[in-house]
Amino acid sequence: MKQIIIVFLLFPMLVWSQTSFEKAKNLFEQGKYALAEPLFQNDLKENPTNSKTIEYLGDISGYEQKWNNAIYYYSKLKTTFPKNANYWYKFGGALGLKAKSINKFKAVGMIDDIENAFLTAAKLDSKHIETRWALVIFYVELPGIIGGSETKAQKYANELISISKVDGYLAKGYIDVYFKRYQDAEKNYKKAREIGNSKTTFNKLYDLYLNKLKDKQKAQKLKEEFDKMV
């Protein structure tokens, strides 16, 4: 009888905790990060090892561009779960975005940590699409003198093709656009569109025609074809 009474006494507290987390999660999914954050922080005080709460707080920090906070939360996750590729990917992403927001000389000192985080994620999960996209962008945008390499970028674009042909051809198109090889980019973006036929693949090819190749006729024809399908 005493056990039953104790359960009833604790029940409201358990329900409140669950409701608090679910409410925070719902607010997060609605994009109401400022409202969700204090609820997640309250939940973390009561459940300091709740990895989902820590991840949500890291994501909110990222959306709010509070890179140091995001790095802190993701660092906790990848340290606690060193074999989780997604945590390593998010940690590397937060580092990378912080590096873009600070002095270039300070950012150079973060390059090894960013690269290591992405490479670790790629090694842990051979089918992690976001990590391979991050590595493509990382090696393309990074100057060669400090580690940038089109060869490495193409390597991960090829890996993307084996996982998701649409992503792979989009990645190759991205590399071509970066190096102003617009004819090659057109071929890759057309392949991506033929396979995916999505708004994303349309936008990439349309932007290429309109803003890079300066071919308004091709851009208009593509738009007319896409509009018929939506």
Side-chain angles (χ1 to χ4, degrees):
M1 185 66 182
K2 287 183 177 179
Q3 290 178 339
I4 294 175
I5 293 172
I6 291 172
V7 169
F8 275 107
L9 289 172
L10 290 175
F11 185 73
M13 187 182 298
L14 294 172
V15 171
W16 182 88
S17 178
Q18 184 181 10
T19 304
S20 178
F21 178 84
E22 290 301 321
K23 184 177 180 181
K25 182 181 176 182
N26 290 334
L27 288 168
F28 177 89
E29 291 171 351
Q30 294 171 35
K32 298 177 181 179
Y33 307 126
L35 296 175
E37 186 173 16
L39 294 176
F40 280 129
Q41 288 174 338
N42 287 337
D43 184 75
L44 190 62
K45 289 177 183 178
E46 296 183 5
N47 306 287
T49 59
N50 188 332
S51 60
K52 290 305 299 180
T53 296
I54 296 171
E55 185 174 7
Y56 276 123
L57 286 169
D59 292 348
I60 289 171
S61 297
Y63 287 125
E64 295 178 342
Q65 298 185 16
K66 298 176 181 177
W67 307 125
N68 286 335
N69 289 350
I71 291 167
Y72 167 76
Y73 289 120
Y74 295 143
S75 179
K76 287 184 66 173
L77 290 172
K78 61 96 175 172
T79 300
T80 306
F81 304 97
K83 294 185 178 181
N84 187 302
N86 206 46
Y87 294 156
W88 279 98
Y89 159 71
K90 289 190 173 186
F91 175 67
L95 285 175
L97 289 167
K98 178 184 177 179
K100 284 189 172 185
S101 70
I102 61 175
N103 181 284
K104 290 183 179 180
F105 292 104
K106 292 182 179 179
V108 169
M110 301 174 65
I111 289 172
D112 288 345
D113 289 335
I114 297 167
E115 182 180 28
N116 177 65
F118 288 145
L119 290 176
T120 300
K123 185 177 180 180
L124 288 170
D125 187 345
S126 61
K127 295 184 178 181
H128 200 281
I129 291 174
E130 294 83 358
T131 291
R132 281 156 181 81
W133 259 111
L135 283 164
V136 168
I137 295 170
F138 176 80
Y139 286 123
V140 165
E141 293 189 357
L142 196 66
I145 195 171
I146 51 175
S149 166
E150 184 186 350
T151 300
K152 290 181 180 179
Q154 292 286 2
K155 173 182 182 292
Y156 289 103
N158 288 331
E159 287 189 12
L160 277 171
I161 286 181
S162 68
I163 303 167
S164 164
K165 290 187 183 300
V166 172
D167 283 286
Y169 287 120
L170 285 175
K172 283 185 169 292
Y174 163 81
I175 295 170
D176 290 330
V177 169
Y178 189 90
F179 291 107
K180 299 182 179 180
R181 299 190 298 257
Y182 300 139
Q183 299 297 332
D184 291 335
E186 180 184 11
K187 294 176 184 177
N188 283 309
Y189 281 158
K190 285 177 74 173
K191 287 180 181 178
R193 180 174 175 269
E194 287 168 5
I195 298 168
N197 199 25
S198 64
K199 187 174 182 180
T200 298
T201 57
F202 159 75
N203 284 337
K204 291 296 182 181
L205 188 55
Y206 182 78
D207 180 71
L208 179 73
Y209 284 148
L210 194 65
N211 299 312
K212 299 297 189 295
L213 291 171
K214 307 294 183 183
D215 192 328
K216 292 183 179 180
Q217 187 175 353
K218 278 189 175 182
Q220 183 59 32
K221 183 180 178 181
L222 179 67
K223 188 176 187 304
E224 289 172 359
E225 290 175 358
F226 184 76
D227 288 342
K228 289 178 181 178
M229 300 183 66
V230 295

